[in-house]
């Protein structure tokens, strides 16, 4: 079937081929649920484990990353063809797994990796056979990431990594991670960093989960004690890792910018379209905060309009990447706007529950398990203005690179990293 998809040259051919693939490959109960009740109906009858088991079928089709070259797991389609396919797939709720790999690892490999690295890592990343995380932030290097202290020392064809990372999303599930480490402490901070691909399932890597306010484990501390990375898993030149990292960081900002950014539907919650449908359902049931309430209706329409604007901005970034340009300041625009917008969306969703957002039935010990999805999403969205670069950092990027404003004075500019004070 992937051969049929790969031969498509027009949007009409794509729609017909994808429709045929859905009929042949998506399990009938999922199709029936999607066509009768939409995404929520699919979620009710399909477990996450069932979806993960089936997911390689999706990956083999090439539709997961339709714009990528076929040798890396895609179909080599233009954006127009990929969008036509997405319109056919959307009703069936087939989210992309491994979003950190798809958005962060892949961005670095396409921009700076070798052909051999792409062949080795991209296909199993697409199929979710190898799950990825990002080992960037440290206890003393969050917003000022370039001050990181994790060290990499070369021993022949192997690098030994020692240090600590924190707030590492899904490290407890990951097989590999993208890693920044300091390889030269005697040059300015951004000039002595190298970018690596590290095996997370090896001695010397200790992952310790951090439970967050919603009760789940997403984040982790990672302690590295002489962990090994072969030099063939170094991306870019030695001491040029900051340049590589910018591709990953831009991909991360796009990922957490919400709908239209690709890779994931949204980190933490649902969108304005779903809230509009929820308001309509509440009106039909005679509940408060329904579509018949003018304030609710106006709030949701404003949020919907903002989502469209963000989606257009993200489309500009994707079009630039497809044309061969590196992601630019536009990704920070999407990050700043998208993260704040998502927080407003999730707060609105929780508010629509009324008192149901403050107390809910269930086992007193099952705080997280019984929590309404809208409340969980609202709590999770508090991280949106921090992850992927804080709003403050991204506003500085916009001020300097878009508006051309002068940089803030830095008395340590150009000094060797070893001489710069650190907390």
């Amino acid at each position: 079937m992937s051969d049929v998809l790969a031969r498509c040259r027009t949007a009409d051919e794509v729609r017909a081929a994808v429709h045929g693939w859905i009929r042949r490959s998506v399990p009938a109960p999922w199709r029936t649920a999607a066509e009768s009740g939409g995404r929520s109906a699919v979620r009710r009858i399909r477990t996450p484990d069932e979806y993960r088991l089936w997911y390689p079928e999706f990956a083999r089709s090439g539709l997961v990353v339709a714009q990528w070259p076929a040798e890396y797991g895609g179909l080599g389609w233009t954006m127009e063809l990929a969008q036509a396919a997405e319109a056919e797939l959307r009703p069936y709720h087939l989210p992309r797994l491994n979003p950190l790999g798809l958005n962060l690892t892949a961005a670095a490999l396409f921009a700076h990796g070798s052909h051999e690295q792409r062949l080795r890592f991209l296909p199993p990343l697409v199929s979710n056979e190898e799950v990825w995380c990002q080992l960037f932030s440290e206890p003393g290097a969050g917003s000022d990431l370039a001050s990181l202290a994790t060290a990499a020392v070369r021993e022949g064809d192997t690098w030994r990594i020692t240090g600590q990372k924190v707030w590492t999303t899904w490290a407890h599930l990951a097989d590999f991670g993208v890693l920044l480490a300091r390889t030269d402490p005697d040059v300015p901070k951004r000039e002595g960093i190298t970018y690596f691909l590290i095996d997370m399932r090896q001695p010397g890597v200790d992952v310790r989960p951090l439970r967050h306010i919603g009760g789940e484990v997403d984040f982790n501390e990672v302690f590295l004690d002489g962990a090994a990375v072969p030099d063939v898993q170094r991306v870019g030149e030695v001491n040029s890792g900051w340049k590589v990292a910018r591709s990953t960081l831009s991909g991360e900002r796009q990922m957490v910018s919400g709908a239209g950014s690709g890779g994931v539907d949204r980190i933490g919650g649902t969108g304005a379209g779903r809230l509009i449908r929820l308001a309509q359902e509440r009106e039909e049931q005679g509940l408060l905060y329904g579509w018949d309430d003018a304030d609710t209706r106006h709030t949701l329409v404003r949020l919907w309009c903002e989502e469209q604007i963000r989606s257009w901005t993200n489309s500009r970034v994707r079009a630039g990447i497809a044309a061969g340009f590196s992601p630019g300041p536009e990704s920070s625009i999407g990050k700043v706007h998208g993260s704040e917008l998502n927080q407003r969306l999730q707060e609105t969703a929780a508010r629509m529950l009324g008192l149901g957002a403050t107390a809910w039935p269930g086992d007193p010990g099952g705080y997280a398990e019984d929590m309404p999805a809208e409340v969980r999403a609202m709590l999770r969205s508090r991280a949106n203005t921090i992850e992927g670069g804080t709003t403050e950092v991204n506003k500085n990027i916009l001020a300097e690179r878009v508006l051309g404003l002068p940089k803030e004075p830095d008395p340590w500019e150009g000094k060797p990293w070893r001489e710069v004070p650190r907390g």
Side-chain angles (χ1 to χ4, degrees):
M1 186 64 199
S2 60
D3 292 340
V4 174
L5 292 165
R7 289 196 295 270
C8 294
R9 294 294 179 268
T10 68
D12 286 340
E13 290 175 350
V14 165
R15 283 188 281 268
V18 172
H19 181 77
W21 177 83
I22 291 169
R23 293 297 157 192
R24 293 180 181 86
S25 302
V26 177
W30 303 359
R31 296 199 315 269
T32 301
E35 291 163 3
S36 62
R39 290 177 171 227
S40 59
V42 175
R43 291 191 186 100
R44 285 194 295 271
I45 64 103
R46 186 184 73 196
T47 69
D49 285 341
E50 287 172 338
Y51 187 65
R52 278 190 288 269
L53 286 172
W54 172 84
Y55 192 79
E57 180 75 18
F58 191 15
R60 283 191 292 272
S61 72
L63 291 168
V64 170
V65 286
Q67 289 182 258
W68 289 14
E71 59 190 331
Y72 304 139
L75 293 165
W77 282 352
T78 64
M79 180 181 293
E80 178 187 8
L81 297 183
Q83 288 174 337
E86 201 60 32
E88 291 294 314
L89 293 170
R90 190 171 297 117
Y92 297 92
H93 186 44
L94 305 175
R96 272 69 171 173
L97 301 182
N98 209 2
L100 300 184
L102 289 171
N103 290 274
L104 313 188
T105 306
L109 289 177
F110 276 120
H112 302 281
S114 67
H115 177 61
E116 291 73 22
Q117 287 172 333
R118 294 173 197 160
L119 283 176
R120 161 62 186 87
F121 290 108
L122 291 179
L125 180 159
V126 172
S127 63
N128 198 42
E129 294 173 54
E130 293 176 348
V131 176
W132 286 77
C133 67
Q134 173 188 294
L135 298 155
F136 279 18
S137 296
E138 300 182 4
S143 294
D144 184 17
L145 178 61
S147 66
L148 63 90
T150 293
V153 176
R154 189 163 189 170
E155 299 178 355
D157 290 332
T158 299
W159 295 84
R160 292 289 174 181
I161 314 295
T162 302
Q164 180 186 356
K165 300 292 182 177
V166 74
W167 306 122
T168 306
T169 303
W170 302 330
H172 60 301
L173 305 174
D175 302 295
F176 285 91
V178 294
L179 168 82
L180 290 182
R182 189 159 303 281
T183 43
D184 189 346
D186 295 313
V187 297
K189 58 185 180 181
R190 288 179 179 81
E191 298 174 17
I193 294 171
T194 303
Y195 192 110
F196 299 97
L197 310 175
I198 186 171
D199 182 352
M200 297 291 290
R201 311 286 189 180
Q202 63 166 303
V205 178
D206 180 15
V207 178
R208 303 181 189 177
L210 298 168
R211 192 172 299 276
H212 60 65
I213 193 171
E216 308 97 331
V217 170
D218 278 343
F219 307 126
N220 302 265
E221 300 178 279
V222 180
F223 294 86
L224 303 156
D225 185 10
V229 180
D231 189 57
V232 293
Q233 290 175 208
R234 166 177 49 83
V235 181
E237 300 298 322
V238 174
N239 295 331
S240 294
W242 190 250
K243 179 180 179 182
V244 183
R246 286 172 63 178
S247 298
T248 291
L249 291 170
S250 187
E252 182 180 19
R253 289 165 191 149
Q254 277 291 288
M255 184 181 72
V256 298
S257 292
S261 59
V264 290
D265 297 330
R266 182 182 318 287
I267 291 189
T270 190
R274 169 62 188 133
L275 293 188
I276 289 171
R277 292 192 295 275
L278 176 61
Q280 292 168 341
E281 292 168 5
R282 292 182 71 85
E283 178 186 358
E284 293 172 0
Q285 296 166 16
L287 300 173
L288 294 174
Y289 307 111
W291 191 244
D292 55 339
D293 176 64
D295 287 342
T296 297
R297 186 168 62 249
H298 293 164
T299 296
L300 296 182
V301 170
R302 281 196 300 270
L303 292 171
W304 184 87
C305 290
E306 285 195 64
E307 278 201 333
Q308 308 317 301
I309 295 168
R310 186 196 57 233
S311 179
W312 296 333
T313 299
N314 290 339
S315 293
R316 285 170 49 207
V317 177
R318 293 201 310 273
I321 294 171
F325 298 102
S326 295
E330 311 89 77
S331 61
S332 290
I333 295 173
K335 170 59 169 70
V336 170
H337 178 243
S339 58
E340 294 178 352
L341 172 58
N342 192 48
Q343 289 178 346
R344 295 199 300 276
L345 278 162
Q346 307 322 320
E347 287 172 3
T348 300
R351 192 178 303 117
M352 289 172 66
L353 296 184
L355 291 178
T358 63
W360 47 88
D363 184 343
Y367 166 77
E369 292 77 6
D370 299 323
M371 182 186 297
E374 292 83 359
V375 177
R376 180 178 293 108
M378 181 271 292
L379 293 173
R380 175 62 180 86
S381 72
R382 305 321 302 165
N384 292 167
T385 47
I386 301 171
E387 58 200 348
T390 65
T391 293
E392 291 76 13
V393 166
N394 280 291
K395 285 183 175 178
N396 278 345
I397 292 172
L398 294 173
E400 294 168 8
R401 299 186 191 171
V402 178
L403 300 179
L405 298 178
K407 293 186 177 182
E408 296 182 16
D410 180 1
W412 302 100
E413 182 76 26
K415 300 290 185 180
W417 174 85
R418 194 189 295 276
E419 298 177 9
V420 178
R422 287 178 296 282

